Amino acid sequence: RPPRSTLFPYTTLFRSLLADLALGAKVRPAWRMLFYAPVALRLIIPLHWQSPLALAPQEWVIQASALPPAPPTWAWLALALWSAGSLLLGIRRAVAWTRMHALIAQARPLRTLNRVPVMEHPSAGPLVTGLWRPVILLPSGLDRAQMDVVLAHESMHLRRRDPWLAELLSLTLILLWPLAPLWAVSRQIGRAHV
């Protein structure tokens, strides 16, 4: 049985997943992201500090002096494995980004919606892409009523800044790919923001 100190970092993630599963249907998608804010904070600031207000009992906190030194061979092997995984996922993300820009280059401009270009492509969409210069990409063959519904949906993604969330999540997965619970969080967020 692992000591409680090794399980403590995962409790924040599991609490967020449980809150999302239990309350997600009752909460607007824009606010569901806040369930995962403690996880993001925990990943940005992974340190434990001693405080009388701390949620973890003092015996759960791992002291740096209590940790045994890692064997150099395993440390280098782990670093090489992590780097290779991050490199492969980064390459995969770069290829997807390049393909998306190729689709946009082939798309036909339709109009603008709140200074955002709306483009039409025969085999892609509907979707929003781009961070600083977003583009709405629609499939060909939509009639006026369908186009209005799809544009309302895609403009909601822009208002919620979903492309930024997707890129932040993608970067987090590239850097922290060995953490399997993050992939579950990614799927939950993906389902919430379809």
Side-chain angles (χ1 to χ4, degrees):
R1 184 177 133 153
R4 291 178 132 180
S5 58
T6 60
L7 299 176
F8 182 68
Y10 292 100
T11 58
T12 305
L13 181 60
F14 292 131
R15 286 182 195 146
S16 296
L17 279 172
L18 287 175
D20 189 19
L21 292 172
L23 303 173
K26 299 174 186 173
V27 178
R28 290 181 35 207
W31 291 101
R32 282 180 75 181
M33 291 186 299
L34 294 179
F35 292 148
Y36 298 100
V39 177
L41 184 65
R42 182 81 176 167
L43 291 172
I44 293 168
I45 308 171
L47 302 175
H48 300 287
W49 56 87
Q50 297 178 2
S51 166
L53 302 175
L55 297 177
Q58 199 60 35
E59 62 271 8
W60 286 20
V61 177
I62 301 172
Q63 302 297 328
S65 61
L67 296 175
T73 310
W74 290 105
W76 286 111
L77 182 63
L79 180 63
L81 181 64
W82 173 79
S83 299
S86 292
L87 180 67
L88 288 174
L89 288 172
I91 290 170
R92 185 178 110 186
R93 181 68 189 117
V95 167
W97 184 81
T98 305
R99 286 181 180 163
M100 183 58 64
H101 279 275
L103 281 175
I104 291 170
Q106 297 168 357
R108 182 177 66 90
L110 290 177
R111 65 182 199 179
T112 59
L113 177 71
N114 298 329
R115 296 184 296 173
V116 175
V118 178
M119 305 183 97
E120 182 180 49
H121 193 278
S123 64
L127 58 92
V128 175
T129 187
L131 299 179
W132 287 279
R133 290 178 294 193
V135 173
I136 298 175
L137 195 60
L138 299 176
S140 299
L142 294 178
D143 63 22
R144 182 75 177 165
Q146 290 173 327
M147 188 179 293
D148 289 342
V149 170
V150 170
L151 285 176
H153 177 85
E154 298 304 327
S155 64
M156 180 60 71
H157 285 299
L158 284 172
R159 274 183 266 162
R160 290 189 321 208
R161 293 181 173 73
D162 285 350
W164 284 93
L165 175 67
E167 289 303 318
L168 178 65
L169 184 61
S170 177
L171 181 63
T172 303
L173 288 173
I174 288 169
L175 294 176
L176 301 173
W177 65 268
L179 298 176
L182 282 179
W183 293 93
V185 169
S186 172
R187 279 193 299 277
Q188 284 285 359
I189 291 174
R191 283 189 209 119
H193 292 279
V194 172

